[in-house]
Every structure is written in structure tokens, then in C-alpha cells.
Amino acid sequence: MPRNTPNPTSDSRSQADPSKAMGISPPSRLFRIDRSLLQGLSPRALSHEREAYFEDRQLSAAERLFYQVWTSEGFKTVVFRKGQWMGHADDIPAAAYVVTSGDVLAKGPWGSGQLGPGGVIGLAEGLCDQPLQESFQALGVVNAKLIPIDSATRELQRIKPSLRGAFRITISKILGDDVPVPAWLGAAR
């Protein structure tokens, strides 16, 4: 199955709602981070300023990671207009997106749900060369950080084996234990 990267400025194809299978619950990754928690922190804050801010407000690891991705100049920001598709079920993504603002509708066999800032689309699937299980559509203007899968793969291959193992475990939790993870992420122990 070919990889697919939606073009945020021109992808306007539509898709019927996927069937709603009984007894299937929505994925746990349908969440949002409250960006207002980060209003007092400059994107250009020095590391000691960030740490003090994070500690003072007792921000979670997910909120801290979101801030790092949101303010990173290493990721390109892309903009999707209302109604644009960010990914289609059964496509293998060539890019993943981290939503930084706006709301996204996810439609899958379990039904539909929304994700917002902090939501990640297609990273686990892309790294494992697996198709998306849901389709994702912008409900309004959505800003997202673009993560090319080939770049993410190269970067992950360079990190310590223990950290790659953490990615393997996370991917297995997202996609399920029956989905094969790439050999370069290390074998399950």
C-alpha cells in the first residue's frame, strides 16, 4: 500500500463515514492539552526558565512535551482549512502531525471523536508501515507540526536502545500487540 501525505492546501476529497462497529471503543489518544496552561511561557524561554515554569505549575510530561514540539523550529508548521482531510483510514502515512491548535474529527470503526492540541496523527502507523485505522478531518482551521516518517525513522535509529524500547512499547500500546514493530526498534523481551 503506498504512503500518503495529505496536502494541507489542496486535499479536498471526501469520504463516507466508516461503519460503526458495536463494542469498539475510541482510541485513548483522542485527547487535548489545555494550551492556556502555557500562556505565560515564551516560546523563546531559556531552559532554566522553562523548567521553573513547568515545576511551578506542575505540568505533566505530556504538557511539557507538547510545549517542546509546539515551540520547536525543527518541525515545519502546516495549516489545514476547515473540512480538509489530514489522513484517511487505510492509507499508510508518509507524515505524522502533532496538532498545535484547532480541533480534528477522528472517524473510525468505533465511531467518531475529537482531538485537539497535543493530539498525534499517524506517527505510530507510519513508523510501523501500517495503515491508519481512522480518518482525520479538520473541524476548523488546524495548525500542526509536520513530522516526516522517513526523518523520524532515521532519528529514532540513532538514539539509545533503551529509548527505542520505550518507543516500541508505546507503539504496541497504540496499535496493539498483534501489529509487528520494525526490527530496528528492538525485540520485545
Side-chain angles (χ1 to χ4, degrees):
M1 191 171 295
R3 288 188 179 270
N4 184 28
T5 304
N7 180 339
T9 58
S10 66
D11 185 10
S12 61
R13 72 180 178 171
S14 61
Q15 177 173 325
D17 284 10
S19 63
K20 295 183 179 183
M22 296 300 289
I24 300 176
S25 60
S28 60
R29 62 182 177 226
L30 296 181
F31 71 97
R32 74 179 52 252
I33 289 176
D34 181 1
R35 282 180 41 159
S36 69
L37 295 172
L38 302 168
Q39 281 181 338
L41 184 59
S42 166
R44 304 220 188 285
L46 301 175
S47 61
H48 71 279
E49 294 169 325
R50 287 192 305 265
E51 286 305 314
Y53 188 92
F54 295 158
E55 289 300 319
D56 185 50
R57 284 158 183 81
Q58 298 180 344
L59 297 183
S60 69
E63 291 160 340
R64 292 170 188 225
L65 180 59
F66 172 74
Y67 172 83
Q68 298 291 69
V69 172
W70 178 33
T71 60
S72 172
E73 294 179 7
F75 297 114
K76 179 181 175 184
T77 299
V78 292
V79 179
F80 291 89
R81 292 183 313 269
K82 181 179 180 179
Q84 284 189 292
W85 293 95
M86 298 175 71
H88 293 276
D90 299 323
D91 284 350
I92 297 174
Y97 303 101
V98 177
V99 177
T100 57
S101 68
D103 293 306
V104 178
L105 177 65
K107 295 180 182 181
W110 45 267
S112 62
Q114 288 185 29
L115 61 154
V120 179
I121 299 169
L123 183 58
E125 294 87 350
L127 290 172
C128 291
D129 208 32
Q130 295 291 311
L132 291 169
Q133 298 301 304
E134 300 93 16
S135 292
F136 298 92
Q137 186 178 31
L139 291 174
V141 174
V142 172
N143 289 335
K145 292 290 188 168
L146 172 75
I147 303 173
I149 296 300
D150 58 346
S151 297
T153 299
R154 282 192 304 276
E155 290 295 323
L156 287 171
Q157 288 173 337
R158 288 184 242 184
I159 64 175
K160 293 181 181 182
S162 58
L163 193 51
R164 281 197 310 267
F167 273 91
R168 178 186 38 75
I169 291 166
T170 302
I171 287 170
S172 292
K173 286 185 178 201
I174 292 169
L175 299 180
D177 292 329
D178 57 333
V179 174
V181 293
W184 56 265
L185 277 173
R189 297 179 192 242

